[in-house]
């Protein structure tokens, strides 16, 4: 059983799975808030391209969740389950040099895409973040928009909302949410095929007209059946208003 199964019930309610459609955190104890750290390698001399870095972060996040260690009985299962059962918060931080090397020693998975590297770490309580993580900056360096070209065939597409501005850190968290939600609703054959690619995906910003045609706000079930898309709605803790659709993920 995948640790991501609760997400299918929460974000794809039309499947009729027995779970709450939202997670109530109104009385959440701050000491119990959990998050997945996503570490973005941003060397000063050779910064990565924005698109490649987002693609690496998206693949790393879902790879942690579907690693064999995340299966019941595995070393990662209990921390991941405790996190997924609440809000799937992620905190993106930037690292370079020795600080980047230090986080390689923490439980997680690093993905490299076209020279860009991101490492998703095992989620845990934010107040218990190891010093290798807590000393890293959340805000700061930004990367310019790039022109990645057409999305390759045969890979899931992650489409960023063209009407919403997000920092690279915010974008990394959102595309990580998107790959997790998509993985939770794919069938076994689709998931196995995706895993064989190392969970590679494309990240693109579509024209506004394309976004509006695909965005599954009005008919999420029909959008999934027809276009194979699911949406990420942001909780509104940072940068965007609550309920904003930040990313739509489209099956390969």
């Amino acid at each position: 059983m995948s640790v991501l199964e609760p997400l299918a019930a929460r974000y794809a309610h039309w499947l009729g799975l027995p779970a709450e459609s939202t997670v109530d955190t109104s009385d959440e104890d701050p000491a119990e808030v959990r998050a997945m750290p996503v570490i973005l390698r941003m060397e000063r001399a050779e910064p990565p391209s924005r698109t490649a870095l987002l693609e690496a972060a998206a693949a790393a996040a879902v790879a942690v969740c579907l690693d064999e260690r995340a299966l019941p009985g595995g070393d990662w299962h209990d921390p991941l389950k405790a996190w997924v059962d609440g809000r799937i918060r992620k905190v993106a931080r930037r690292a370079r040099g020795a600080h980047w090397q230090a986080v390689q020693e923490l439980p997680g998975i690093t993905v490299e895409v076209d020279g860009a590297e991101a490492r998703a770490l095992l989620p845990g309580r934010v107040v218990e973040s190891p010093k290798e993580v807590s000393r890293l900056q959340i805000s700061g360096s930004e990367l310019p928009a790039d022109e990645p070209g057409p999305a390759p065939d045969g890979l899931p597409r992650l489409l960023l909302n063209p009407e919403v501005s997000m920092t690279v850190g915010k974008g990394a968290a959102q595309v990580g949410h998107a790959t997790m939600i998509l993985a939770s609703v794919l069938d076994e054959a689709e998931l196995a095929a995706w895993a064989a690619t190392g969970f590679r995906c494309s990240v693109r910003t579509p024209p506004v007209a394309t976004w509006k045609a695909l965005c599954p706000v009005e008919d999420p079930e029909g959008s999934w059946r027809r276009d194979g898309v699911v949406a990420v709605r942001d909780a509104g803790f940072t940068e965007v208003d609550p309920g904003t659709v930040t990313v739509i993920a489209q099956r390969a």
Side-chain angles (χ1 to χ4, degrees):
M1 182 179 69
S2 168
V3 75
L4 295 178
E5 283 191 9
L7 298 187
R10 194 183 308 161
Y11 293 98
H13 58 82
W14 62 85
L15 296 175
L17 300 176
E20 297 295 330
S21 59
T22 58
V23 178
D24 181 8
T25 59
S26 59
D27 60 350
E28 188 174 47
D29 182 350
E32 294 298 320
V33 171
R34 298 171 184 267
M36 169 186 277
V38 179
I39 314 303
L40 309 175
R41 186 176 189 181
M42 300 177 69
E43 299 291 346
R44 184 177 289 109
E46 296 183 10
S49 76
R50 183 185 180 96
T51 295
L53 189 59
L54 292 178
E55 291 176 350
V62 72
V64 168
C65 297
L66 295 179
D67 189 89
E68 63 181 12
R69 289 164 287 186
L71 294 171
D75 292 343
W76 291 3
H77 180 266
D78 289 349
L80 280 163
K81 185 178 186 305
W83 173 58
V84 171
D85 283 347
R87 289 195 184 278
I88 54 171
R89 292 182 175 94
K90 295 183 180 69
V91 178
R93 298 175 183 266
R94 58 186 176 92
R96 61 173 63 99
H99 287 179
W100 169 254
Q101 295 305 321
V103 299
Q104 303 306 305
E105 303 302 317
L106 301 174
I109 292 177
T110 296
V111 171
E112 182 270 329
V113 175
D114 296 336
E117 293 181 276
R119 183 170 181 83
L121 301 179
L122 191 64
R125 293 181 178 88
V126 173
V127 296
E128 297 174 354
S129 294
K131 67 179 185 303
E132 293 89 345
V133 173
S134 61
R135 69 187 177 187
L136 302 176
Q137 292 189 6
I138 296 175
S139 61
S141 299
E142 188 50 61
L143 295 172
D146 55 357
E147 297 291 338
D153 294 331
L155 296 177
R157 292 196 306 162
L158 308 180
L159 303 179
L160 304 176
N161 189 332
E163 300 181 301
V164 173
S165 177
M166 292 184 284
T167 64
V168 69
K170 181 69 170 181
Q174 297 303 295
V175 296
H177 294 347
T179 50
M180 289 173 57
I181 295 169
L182 182 62
S184 76
V185 295
L186 293 177
D187 63 35
E188 290 186 10
E190 290 175 306
L191 202 54
W194 193 18
T197 73
F199 299 105
R200 288 292 301 270
C201 54
S202 66
V203 174
R204 297 293 187 273
T205 302
V208 172
T210 301
W211 171 268
K212 289 184 175 179
L214 287 175
C215 193
V217 172
E218 300 299 329
D219 181 18
E221 179 177 4
S223 294
W224 174 250
R225 307 298 184 198
R226 181 179 61 254
D227 299 317
V229 298
V230 290
V232 177
R233 283 184 178 272
D234 194 71
F237 292 122
T238 60
E239 295 194 27
V240 302
D241 294 331
T244 299
V245 177
T246 54
V247 184
I248 53 178
Q250 186 171 38
R251 73 203 307 178

